[in-house]
Amino acid sequence: MPSTEVVIAKKFNNLLRPLQVHINRTTVLAGELAEIHGVDTNACELAASTHDLFRSEPDFAQISTAERYGIPIGDIEAGIPMLLHGPNAAAWLENEAGLTDNRVLEAVRWHTFGSPEIDDVGKILYLADKLEPGKVIADPSLEPIRQMAESHPDKALLELLEKRLENQVSKSLQVHPYTLALIENLRSD
Ligand SMILES: [Fe+2]
Ligand SMILES: [Fe+2]
């Protein structure tokens, strides 16, 4: 059986270039933030380098992959199947690539919604995914939050989640209960 690294590399190599660039930028920032905050650099970089392996799968593939791995498909995911790309990637990494580090799997699984159970690896991935240079160039209002991620990561995380909440509410989109629970936790800290 090919190694975990080889299986992951094969999947990565099939992605379109812009997605590869985003993944690589996220991995660099995840490594930097992990270093600053004393979090396991290898775990954060592995989570970042695998988090979007299913990001560009079409809707029907998101649904069929989720069904194959027994991932629950709620109303929110049924409406926007792309939102399954985190859980799908985590299930694929565990089942097809033999990845066993639970911190990495959970970080990948919840990188879109966030989770009330999020740990340091999950937080670093969430921050790096939303604050890598490509994202800040596209939305310069993120720059202060990117700086905050270096000094006050939980505060930066809360700012990003509140931005997401605001955005979803303004579009009348349903907000995932995990996102709300995480915001609640961070607000009460
Ligand atoms: Fe993603
Ligand atoms: Fe991403």
Side-chain angles (χ1 to χ4, degrees):
M1 197 184 147
S3 72
T4 299
E5 290 74 24
V6 169
V7 177
I8 290 170
K10 215 170 149 193
K11 184 91 180 152
F12 178 86
N13 289 338
N14 282 324
L15 302 176
L16 290 173
R17 189 69 195 140
L19 184 54
Q20 291 181 335
V21 170
H22 162 66
I23 290 172
N24 288 339
R25 285 169 165 169
T26 303
T27 304
V28 171
L29 183 55
E32 288 170 3
L33 289 173
E35 186 112 336
I36 292 170
H37 298 298
V39 182
D40 186 332
T41 311
N42 288 334
C44 292
E45 287 178 348
L46 182 55
S49 65
T50 55
H51 79 286
D52 270 348
L53 287 177
F54 279 70
R55 177 64 180 82
S56 56
E57 305 270 319
D59 286 355
F60 72 89
Q62 301 287 3
I63 298 287
S64 65
T65 302
E67 284 173 345
R68 176 150 40 103
Y69 293 121
I71 295 165
I73 303 172
D75 290 347
I76 297 175
E77 295 90 341
I80 308 177
M82 180 277 289
L83 293 171
L84 288 161
H85 75 277
N88 282 345
W92 180 88
L93 287 164
E94 187 173 11
N95 289 284
E96 320 302 333
L99 201 150
T100 53
D101 188 334
N102 226 40
R103 297 167 308 164
V104 174
L105 294 172
E106 288 301 292
V108 170
R109 194 176 333 269
W110 298 113
H111 81 266
T112 304
F113 296 124
S115 148
E117 310 268 297
I118 198 167
D119 67 2
D120 288 347
V121 177
K123 286 179 182 177
I124 297 285
L125 172 58
Y126 196 97
L127 292 168
D129 181 30
K130 310 295 181 290
L131 298 170
E132 55 90 347
K135 297 282 175 80
V136 178
I137 290 167
D139 177 5
S141 78
L142 290 171
E143 178 54 26
I145 306 181
R146 192 203 60 76
Q147 288 179 23
M148 196 191 291
E150 295 180 4
S151 52
H152 298 86
D154 277 0
K155 221 173 140 199
L157 182 59
L158 180 57
E159 294 255 342
L160 286 174
L161 287 160
E162 284 181 332
K163 238 173 147 44
R164 179 180 173 87
L165 178 64
E166 217 171 275
N167 184 273
Q168 289 178 312
V169 168
S170 75
K171 290 181 184 157
S172 303
L173 288 170
Q174 209 184 329
V175 182
H176 196 281
Y178 275 19
T179 309
L180 294 172
L182 176 56
I183 289 173
E184 234 11 80
N185 285 355
L186 291 164
R187 276 181 185 159
S188 62
D189 275 350

